[in-house]
């Protein structure tokens, strides 16, 4: 492609480029991916400034720099440069151009919020598939970032379109929105699920966190918002398009429910009131958080013109969401083991309340959890308090400690643990899971919280394979392998 193809819609503040018809073979902000005739976009990160690596980019073949400052590091390379106000936004625009603007050829729907993004995307996907759309979902379950970097996102969108997809349903994280990774994309619609304390190591406070989420709706043709969330007004304040609200309680909302019935482990059902229409929702999922997830998905699909009978069938077809209150099939163990991605105070509280709502009186709840390293430290004590209050037995362990010492993280969690309530600390997560399995009584419910779908562990030595499902399966087999009545 010629350089001028990358510059459409871009405001250039200053440039030393003399030939705008030069051939460009790629664009990236990652020096290790630079090749001959690449554009290297200099991003100023939180700890590292990409401008300082311009010389390395030149060595690897870069022929043009995109910068926010034309300092000595840039001039020293001798490469032509283009100076812009925001290189992060320009990176997104250039990656889009390099891939032929795939976002313009797809229906793109985004879901944002602290919790519920993955489940809502899954429910939406089932509805849209039943409505005849060819759907690709992008988010946490992909195994990488919740929302991909522009270099990867637009390439994935192009691949989705080339493979026959017409609809992409994606999770939009506050980090991605704040850092303009989605800049230039106009979404067909977006959903706001909720906002609770999370990522306060990155965002200054909850208001800043809410404003980061709100950026999505300045890029969306219409938005569907959780009216019951205290940050709903702030998140919807910058809306570009039409606004619609759903609520469990407020009958003035555009969507609300009547005749709610909880079916314990068999899910729930309710009538979603949509003006003069009624959508009969029956779901196999559990928990009030999934009531909200189904409400948002149904409301969005209805507003997007999907027939309510298709919506009803789509919702009822979702039996579980990977890593979200997912019950493990562990031979014939006389107790239940669930895994859940809950890694925030709000999510942990909701999943424990959900389990308490369907457990029998004699059943005991054991929760195993830790907190991530190099992340918001303020939530650690709170999560300890929640675990002590809502579980019968607490196992405190590690969870992606990253560069921090696991014992330091556990010490902060322990500040919230009620020492009068049954609990134990087992720093090694594998050993903690094995302990939970080996000591469980008949009919116990064990919740492995924090990792959910993840199949890795990150500590100071890096990232390694780690499957809670496999660990639990092996522990059950080890415990019951001599008992033919317990092993299939």
């Amino acid at each position: 492609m010629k350089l001028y193809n990358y510059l459409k819609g871009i405001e250039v503040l200053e440039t030393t480029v003399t030939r705008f018809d030069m051939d460009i073979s790629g664009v990236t902000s990652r020096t290790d991916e630079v090749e001959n005739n690449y554009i290297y976009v200099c991003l100023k990160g939180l700890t590292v400034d990409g401008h300082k690596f311009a010389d390395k980019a030149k060595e690897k073949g870069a022929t043009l720099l995109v910068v926010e400052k034309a300092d000595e590091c840039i001039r020293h390379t001798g490469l032509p440069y283009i100076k812009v106000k925001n290189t992060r936004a320009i990176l997104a625009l250039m990656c889009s151009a390099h891939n032929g603007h795939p976002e313009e050829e797809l229906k793109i729907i985004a879901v944002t919020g602290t919790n519920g993004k993955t489940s809502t995307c899954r429910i939406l996907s089932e509805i849209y598939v039943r409505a005849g759309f060819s759907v690709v979902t992008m988010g946490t379950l992909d195994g990488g970032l919740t929302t991909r970097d522009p270099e990867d996102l637009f390439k994935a969108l192009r691949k989705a379109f080339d493979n026959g997809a017409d609809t992409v349903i994606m999770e939009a994280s506050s980090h991605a929105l704040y850092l303009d990774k989605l800049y230039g994309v106009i979404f067909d619609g977006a959903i706001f699920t909720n906002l609770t304390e999370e990522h306060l190591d990155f965002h200054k406070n909850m208001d800043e966190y809410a404003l980061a989420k709100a950026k999505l709706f300045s890029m969306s043709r219409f938005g569907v918002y959780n009216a019951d969330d205290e940050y709903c007004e702030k998140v919807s304040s910058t809306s570009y398009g039409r606004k619609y609200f759903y609520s469990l309680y407020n009958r003035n909302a555009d969507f609300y429910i009547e005749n709610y019935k909880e079916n314990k482990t068999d899910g729930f059902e309710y009538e979603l009131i949509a003006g003069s229409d009624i959508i009969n929702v029956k779901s196999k999922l559990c928990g009030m958080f999934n009531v909200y997830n189904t409400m948002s998905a149904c409301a969005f699909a209805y507003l997007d013109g999907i027939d309510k009978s298709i919506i009803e069938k789509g919702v009822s077809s979702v039996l579980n969401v990977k890593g979200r209150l997912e019950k493990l099939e562990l031979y014939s163990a006389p107790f239940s083991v669930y895994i859940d991605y809950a890694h925030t105070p709000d999510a942990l509280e909701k999943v424990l309340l959900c389990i308490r709502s369907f457990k029998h009186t004699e059943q005991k709840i054991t929760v195993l959890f830790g907190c991530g390293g190099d992340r918001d430290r303020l939530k650690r004590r709170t999560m300890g308090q929640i675990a002590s209050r809502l579980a019968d037995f607490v196992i405190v362990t590690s969870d992606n400690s990253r560069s921090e010492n696991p014992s330091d993280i556990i010490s902060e969690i322990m500040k919230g643990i009620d020492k009068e309530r049954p609990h134990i600390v087992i720093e090694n997560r594998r050993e903690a899971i094995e302990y939970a399995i080996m000591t469980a009584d008949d009919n116990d419910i064990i919740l492995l919280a924090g990792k959910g779908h993840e199949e890795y562990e990150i500590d100071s030595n890096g990232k390694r394979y780690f499957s809670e499902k496999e660990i639990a399966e092996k522990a059950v087999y080890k415990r019951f392998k001599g008992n033919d009545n317990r092993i299939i």
Side-chain angles (χ1 to χ4, degrees):
M1 284 176 57
K2 301 296 185 182
L3 173 58
Y4 54 73
N5 291 310
Y6 290 87
L7 299 178
K8 292 178 181 177
I10 292 177
E11 181 182 1
V12 176
L13 301 180
E14 176 187 327
T15 185
T16 58
V17 174
T18 57
R19 284 190 55 216
F20 289 91
D21 63 344
M22 70 168 72
D23 289 317
I24 300 295
S25 57
V27 57
T28 186
S29 63
R30 305 162 177 166
T31 53
D32 59 341
E33 294 183 3
V34 173
E35 297 181 16
N36 288 333
N37 299 319
Y38 259 54
I39 298 173
Y40 174 61
V41 182
C42 304
L43 303 185
K44 187 175 181 181
L46 299 176
T47 57
V48 178
D49 188 347
H51 292 76
K52 295 181 179 179
F53 299 99
D55 56 344
K56 183 178 178 181
K58 178 184 178 181
E59 290 174 8
K60 298 200 69 177
T63 55
L64 175 68
L65 303 175
V66 176
V67 305
E68 289 183 5
K69 53 185 179 181
D71 58 15
E72 181 59 30
C73 290
I74 301 303
R75 293 193 298 271
H76 178 73
T77 66
L79 290 177
Y81 65 81
I82 292 173
K83 183 180 177 182
V84 297
K85 182 179 180 180
N86 180 352
T87 53
R88 290 188 178 278
I90 299 310
L91 174 64
L93 293 178
M94 286 187 162
C95 287
S96 170
H98 181 74
N99 288 281
H101 303 290
E103 73 282 3
E104 296 178 1
E105 302 175 89
L106 293 158
K107 173 191 283 286
I108 304 183
I109 299 165
V111 180
T112 197
T114 306
N115 301 308
K117 296 186 294 295
T118 301
S119 296
T120 302
C121 284
R122 169 68 191 284
I123 298 164
L124 275 174
S125 177
E126 291 294 330
I127 293 171
Y128 277 78
V129 167
R130 284 183 174 269
F133 292 88
S134 178
V135 179
V136 169
T137 58
M138 296 181 182
T140 307
L141 296 183
D142 294 337
L145 298 172
T146 301
T147 308
R148 306 181 194 195
D149 291 334
E151 291 95 332
D152 305 315
L153 174 64
F154 291 97
K155 186 185 299 182
L157 292 176
R158 169 50 58 189
K159 181 179 179 181
F161 180 77
D162 289 346
N163 288 342
D166 52 39
T167 302
V168 170
I169 300 173
M170 65 182 295
E171 299 178 43
S173 70
S174 60
H175 289 74
L177 291 163
Y178 180 84
L179 297 173
D180 287 320
K181 293 183 182 182
L182 302 171
Y183 188 86
V185 178
I186 300 299
F187 293 90
D188 288 83
I191 294 173
F192 167 63
T193 60
N194 52 66
L195 203 73
T196 61
E197 287 194 16
E198 174 73 331
H199 305 310
L200 296 186
D201 55 321
F202 182 84
H203 303 288
K204 294 178 182 178
N205 49 53
M206 288 297 291
D207 284 342
E208 292 293 321
Y209 183 23
L211 289 174
K213 295 290 190 185
K215 288 181 74 171
L216 174 63
F217 299 92
S218 67
M219 304 155 59
S220 302
R221 292 190 174 95
F222 75 94
V224 177
Y225 304 86
N226 178 0
D228 295 338
D229 189 273
E230 63 176 306
Y231 290 95
C232 177
E233 184 175 352
K234 186 172 289 290
V235 172
S236 63
S237 63
T238 62
S239 176
Y240 161 77
R242 295 162 291 149
K243 295 190 281 190
Y244 302 93
F245 301 90
Y246 63 96
S247 172
L248 195 66
Y249 314 103
N250 187 353
R251 288 172 174 256
N252 292 320
D254 298 288
F255 299 87
Y256 60 91
I257 73 173
E258 288 186 345
N259 299 318
Y260 172 75
K261 179 182 177 183
E262 187 178 282
N263 299 321
K264 301 295 182 180
T265 56
D266 291 325
F268 52 79
E269 55 188 272
Y270 60 83
E271 295 175 346
L272 181 63
I273 310 302
S276 59
D277 268 341
I278 297 176
I279 302 171
N280 294 299
V281 178
K282 292 184 179 180
S283 174
K284 295 292 186 181
L285 303 176
C286 297
M288 192 54 63
F289 51 91
N290 275 318
V291 173
Y292 276 100
N293 294 337
T294 54
M295 285 175 67
S296 67
C298 292
F300 186 96
Y302 179 83
L303 290 166
D304 203 26
I306 294 180
D307 187 87
K308 63 181 183 179
S309 65
I310 293 175
I311 295 173
E312 292 167 355
K313 291 174 182 176
V315 173
S316 64
S317 69
V318 181
L319 303 181
N320 61 69
V321 180
K322 186 178 180 182
R324 273 63 179 174
L325 198 56
E326 180 183 356
K327 187 175 182 180
L328 302 186
E329 298 298 327
L330 298 173
Y331 306 107
S332 1
F335 47 80
S336 302
V337 180
Y338 292 85
I339 60 173
D340 193 272
Y341 192 50
H343 59 281
T344 68
D346 180 69
L348 184 63
E349 181 175 46
K350 284 178 177 175
V351 72
L352 284 171
L353 285 171
C354 175
I355 293 174
R356 291 185 70 87
S357 73
F358 66 67
K359 84 177 189 73
H360 301 304
T361 305
E362 70 279 5
Q363 288 182 296
K364 181 181 72 176
I365 300 174
T366 293
V367 62
L368 179 152
F369 81 104
C371 290
D374 304 331
R375 297 293 187 269
D376 183 11
R377 295 175 58 183
L378 297 177
K379 69 180 182 181
R380 296 172 183 174
R381 179 201 289 261
T382 305
M383 290 181 70
Q385 292 171 336
I386 291 167
S388 282
R389 175 166 54 88
L390 297 176
D392 301 293
F393 184 65
V394 178
I395 302 175
V396 181
T397 186
S398 59
D399 183 350
N400 291 342
S401 56
R402 298 182 177 86
S403 70
E404 286 194 66
N405 188 322
S407 61
D408 292 339
I409 299 173
I410 289 172
S411 293
E412 295 190 348
I413 295 172
M414 291 303 296
K415 292 176 182 178
I417 295 291
D418 184 346
K419 305 305 188 297
E420 301 300 316
R421 302 269 296 167
H423 68 277
I424 190 171
V425 173
I426 303 176
E427 183 177 306
N428 183 290
R429 194 174 181 98
R430 179 183 297 274
E431 294 176 3
I433 294 170
E434 291 172 347
Y435 176 86
I437 298 293
M438 292 299 186
T439 59
D441 293 328
D442 287 5
N443 296 316
D444 277 3
I445 299 174
I446 300 171
L447 173 66
L448 309 180
K451 299 193 70 62
H453 64 281
E454 291 181 351
E455 293 189 332
Y456 58 83
E457 179 78 5
I458 306 173
D459 59 20
S460 58
N461 295 317
K463 187 175 182 179
R464 66 181 185 279
Y465 181 73
F466 187 93
S467 171
E468 293 196 323
K469 287 185 181 181
E470 292 180 6
I471 295 168
E473 286 171 355
K474 289 177 181 178
V476 168
Y477 183 77
K478 180 179 179 180
R479 177 174 175 181
F480 297 116
K481 65 181 178 181
N483 187 338
D484 291 336
N485 293 324
R486 293 287 170 84
I487 294 296
I488 296 175

